[in-house]
Amino acid sequence: MFAPPQPPSVPVVGGGLFPVRRVFCIGRNYADHVREMGGDPKADPPVFFTKPADAVVESGSVIPYALGTSNLHFEGELVVALKQGGSCLASAQEAAELVFGHACGCDLTRRDLQAAAKNAGGPWDSAKAFDDSAPIGPIAPLTPQSAEELSTARLRLSVNGEERQNAALGSMIWTVPEILIELSKLFRLEAGDLVFTGTPEGVGALVAGDAVTVEIGALPPLNFSLA
């Protein structure tokens, strides 16, 4: 027999760990990014996909360049951490009550595999749900002050000190409560879930040796590099 693996977790600002249950992601949630990828931001309902919980990587990590790709992309995102769950949520208020806190994240994507899946009408699993594909910074618990700050915050991602993404969180097509409401129609949400809320325009390729930083308002930044 063998020892069971340690459950994935993320550090919490102020101490403690947030145990990760599932990782949900929404695609095409910023209008400019939808256009960047050749779509119409108003044409379709939300697109959801998942990553395994053990895809989570702590800030400060050095991770290997992903297997099976020659076109690994960064996608800076706001991540929402849930303290309780529910299904078929009925209101924005009900959805907001699920939120424990927020963090900076990066949805790493094997873009060549995603393009092949799209062309074949196949699933995105190999493009999105691979090892070390969900770097995330420390989770800052939600407070009235942090909620107000996030309402006007900008998401910034830089590679080797050069800014690549810069967008207001307010330009999301689907707000956080709307994302949670729509997710809850498809999945039973629970405490320990992480929700990546989509990326703005400016996504691009990474190479071994690159250092990535994601910053969102006053949240602790996410920093990681590729070996």
Side-chain angles (χ1 to χ4, degrees):
M1 296 297 292
F2 55 88
Q6 290 294 318
S9 60
V10 181
V12 175
V13 175
L17 295 172
F18 180 90
V20 179
R21 173 183 174 265
R22 298 184 74 175
V23 179
F24 296 100
C25 308
I26 182 172
R28 305 199 297 253
N29 197 31
Y30 287 79
D32 287 339
H33 178 54
V34 174
R35 297 187 187 99
E36 177 180 53
M37 302 304 291
D40 179 350
K42 295 294 185 182
D44 300 309
V47 173
F48 295 113
F49 56 93
T50 63
K51 293 175 181 276
D54 63 4
V56 166
V57 178
E58 285 189 28
S59 184
S61 297
V62 178
I63 62 178
Y65 191 90
L67 298 172
T69 184
S70 58
N71 195 18
L72 181 68
H73 275 214
F74 59 80
E75 298 188 4
E77 309 201 8
L78 174 71
V79 183
V80 179
L82 304 188
K83 63 183 178 182
Q84 59 191 60
S87 58
C88 298
L89 302 174
S91 69
Q93 178 61 37
E94 190 176 1
E97 291 173 356
L98 306 188
V99 177
F100 169 75
H102 301 86
C104 297
C106 188
D107 167 19
L108 292 176
T109 301
R110 296 193 278 208
R111 191 70 73 202
D112 44 0
L113 301 190
Q114 185 184 39
K118 287 180 178 179
N119 290 336
W124 290 9
D125 295 61
S126 61
K128 292 287 192 177
F130 55 94
D131 299 334
D132 304 319
S133 62
I136 180 173
I139 297 171
L142 178 64
T143 66
Q145 179 180 353
S146 67
E148 183 177 352
E149 291 173 347
L150 283 174
S151 69
T152 58
R154 299 188 71 84
L155 183 155
R156 294 179 172 87
L157 181 145
S158 62
V159 180
N160 302 325
E162 178 184 348
E163 186 172 271
R164 300 290 188 85
Q165 292 182 287
N166 186 331
L169 295 183
S171 60
M172 287 184 185
I173 298 170
W174 302 84
T175 66
V176 169
E178 289 170 340
I179 292 170
L180 297 181
I181 288 170
E182 293 301 314
L183 259 180
S184 76
K185 296 176 182 178
L186 300 171
F187 305 94
R188 185 185 70 254
L189 302 177
E190 297 285 1
D193 288 344
L194 296 175
V195 182
F196 282 64
T197 61
T199 196
E201 67 173 331
V203 300
L206 295 168
V207 298
D210 280 344
V212 179
T213 298
V214 181
E215 299 171 286
I216 303 174
L219 294 178
L222 163 65
N223 297 285
F224 68 95
S225 59
L226 295 179

